[in-house]
Amino acid sequence: MTETARIVEIRELSVPLKGQVANAVVNFAEHDVSLVAVMSNVMRNGKPVVGLGFNSIGRFAQGGLLNRRFIPRVLAAMPDSLGGGPNGGPDPAKVRAVAMRNEKPGGHGDRAAAVAALELAVWDLAAKLGDEPAWVTMARAYGTTPHRDGSPVYAAGGYYYDGMSKGSLAEELAGYLDQGFTSVKMKIGGASLAEDTARIEEAIGMLGGADRVAVDANGRFDRAEALSWGRHLDGYGLRWLEEMGDPLDYGVHAALVAEIDTAIATGENLFSRQDVRNLLAFGAPRPGKDIFQMDAGLSYGLGEYAGMIADLESAGHRREQVMPHGGHLINLHIVTALGLGGCEAYPKVFVPFGGYAPQCRLQDGRISPSDAPGFGLEQKVDLQPEIERILA
Ligand code: MG
């Protein structure tokens, strides 16, 4: 047990993503992410211990919601009322509950990402107070069996780049193989079926098997297109087909799993336990087969996320089927802590939040966090200038 810590200040910094990439629906050139710093009263080496978090990738920075609603509510709470968390720090669940005062149920959306950034920063603070990696703190808090020998990881790429020349996909995939990845995910639906089929066949050839290649349509297809593309792709034996239809159209999910043998992946656009319960009730996911990609950083943080996993297990699914969206250090720690099926990585995109620190070990398709305290965001070279800015 270390000294009791109180929150004395909370800051938010909106950081633009670098890199010109797009999937079938979204161009990320205009995207940004909220970096949140939770400053404590505990001093170490002449500096306050600070928890850092962010709201994953893909849903924009949430400075307005954080600065107008969630941060003032937390700062207005009596500091002692937020205590009792891991390592003598504030309790992430209490911080979330206070932040959500006067909020109506439902309508999760951007609010879920804003609160997540704050809640995850509190977990980082807790781990740093205990001078331990965040996965250690989280595994202890949830009584889970962590991955001690690395977590499965795949390279998410195969985007449609501006002015992509023929051969770019092969170069990109060769780079992933060189780095130690053994499986990949690529975007589909941004080109014709014939063009994408050629891209998929090229990837299968390079990876050495269709079970090493997953594809992601980012919710682009209507019901008829989802089914026709699904039928066409089913014969390849791909690892999974991701977001084939609208993420909230559970009927499309049910129709796909009724007809298609390949695993169906979804969940990155579900932001609450109730959304996941609806997927279970109406989407008919297959235990032991289909893939769940909810992301704590987009759905109120680790507390809500752990609840989603409990709901999945109650319905007969296994945590090996859970592979969160968002290839970054926070989700690496969550996957490691909770013993999930694996995580993704964005080796070249979503800078400075995507990807891992050089101290993380990647070998034979598995990745391990470093032993840095917290999420180790300070070790991520391209994030260091932003951390300096938020702490200045
Ligand atoms: Mg996706």
Side-chain angles (χ1 to χ4, degrees), residues 12-33:
E12 185 273 346
L13 180 68
S14 298
V15 179
L17 292 180
K18 300 187 187 98
Q20 304 285 314
V21 298
N23 62 38
V25 178
V26 174
N27 184 317
F28 290 95
E30 293 178 4
H31 275 235
D32 52 11
V33 170

Side-chain angles (χ1 to χ4, degrees), residues 187-317:
K187 298 299 175 187
I188 60 164
S192 69
L193 179 60
E195 285 171 275
D196 272 345
T197 299
R199 293 170 67 241
I200 290 167
E201 288 178 356
E202 185 175 16
I204 292 171
M206 289 196 64
L207 271 293
D211 59 344
R212 293 165 178 249
V213 178
V215 298
D216 184 0
N218 290 96
R220 176 187 176 281
F221 301 135
D222 65 22
R223 187 188 182 98
E225 289 170 326
L227 283 163
S228 69
W229 278 66
R231 287 183 199 113
H232 170 76
L233 296 175
D234 201 24
Y236 284 98
L238 293 165
R239 193 174 182 200
W240 69 70
L241 314 181
E242 179 170 328
E243 298 269 83
M244 295 291 280
D246 185 289
L248 295 179
D249 187 344
Y250 305 117
V252 169
H253 196 274
L256 285 164
V257 299
E259 232 191 287
I260 285 153
D261 189 49
T262 310
I264 304 297
T266 191
E268 69 180 76
N269 297 301
L270 305 184
F271 304 144
S272 71
R273 286 183 82 165
Q274 188 57 53
D275 288 340
V276 172
R277 288 172 178 165
N278 288 344
L279 174 64
L280 291 169
F282 305 111
R286 296 164 288 190
K289 180 155 202 168
D290 293 314
I291 303 295
F292 301 100
Q293 301 173 307
M294 292 75 72
D295 182 341
L298 299 176
S299 48
Y300 298 106
L302 183 63
E304 185 83 1
Y305 188 70
M308 293 174 176
I309 294 170
D311 290 338
L312 293 176
E313 290 187 322
S314 295
H317 297 279

Side-chain angles (χ1 to χ4, degrees), residues 75-358:
L75 293 178
M78 295 295 288
D80 292 345
S81 71
L82 300 177
N87 297 325
D91 182 345
K94 290 179 184 168
V95 171
R96 179 220 163 140
V98 164
M100 286 292 288
R101 265 183 199 156
N102 289 326
E103 297 282 326
K104 291 179 76 175
H108 300 291
D110 284 349
R111 178 180 79 184
V115 173
L118 185 54
E119 197 253 26
L120 291 165
V122 175
W123 279 105
D124 186 61
L125 173 60
K128 285 171 175 164
L129 289 167
D131 198 27
E132 60 191 9
W135 68 266
V136 175
T137 316
M138 293 169 163
R140 194 170 55 238
Y142 284 95
T144 47
T145 306
H147 288 306
R148 293 189 183 277
D149 300 315
S151 299
V153 64
Y154 65 90
Y159 285 90
Y160 299 102
Y161 293 87
D162 282 345
M164 183 188 249
S165 62
K166 227 174 158 26
S168 295
L169 180 67
E171 278 170 40
E172 182 187 342
L173 299 181
Y176 299 152
L177 291 168
D178 280 349
Q179 290 169 57
F181 293 101
T182 56
S183 56
V184 301
K185 180 168 80 188
M186 57 190 291
K187 298 299 175 187
I188 60 164
S192 69
L193 179 60
E195 285 171 275
D196 272 345
T197 299
R199 293 170 67 241
I200 290 167
E201 288 178 356
E202 185 175 16
I204 292 171
M206 289 196 64
L207 271 293
D211 59 344
R212 293 165 178 249
V213 178
V215 298
D216 184 0
N218 290 96
R220 176 187 176 281
F221 301 135
D222 65 22
R223 187 188 182 98
E225 289 170 326
L227 283 163
S228 69
W229 278 66
R231 287 183 199 113
H232 170 76
L233 296 175
D234 201 24
Y236 284 98
L238 293 165
R239 193 174 182 200
W240 69 70
L241 314 181
E242 179 170 328
E243 298 269 83
M244 295 291 280
D246 185 289
L248 295 179
D249 187 344
Y250 305 117
V252 169
H253 196 274
L256 285 164
V257 299
E259 232 191 287
I260 285 153
D261 189 49
T262 310
I264 304 297
T266 191
E268 69 180 76
N269 297 301
L270 305 184
F271 304 144
S272 71
R273 286 183 82 165
Q274 188 57 53
D275 288 340
V276 172
R277 288 172 178 165
N278 288 344
L279 174 64
L280 291 169
F282 305 111
R286 296 164 288 190
K289 180 155 202 168
D290 293 314
I291 303 295
F292 301 100
Q293 301 173 307
M294 292 75 72
D295 182 341
L298 299 176
S299 48
Y300 298 106
L302 183 63
E304 185 83 1
Y305 188 70
M308 293 174 176
I309 294 170
D311 290 338
L312 293 176
E313 290 187 322
S314 295
H317 297 279
R318 303 203 321 256
R319 56 183 61 213
E320 289 79 8
Q321 292 170 255
V322 181
M323 303 183 73
H325 159 271
H328 51 66
L329 278 167
I330 295 179
N331 280 345
L332 173 58
H333 279 265
I334 290 175
V335 166
T336 303
L338 302 185
L340 304 180
C343 47
E344 56 183 342
Y346 299 103
K348 285 185 182 171
V349 296
F350 301 134
V351 175
F353 293 95
Y356 301 109

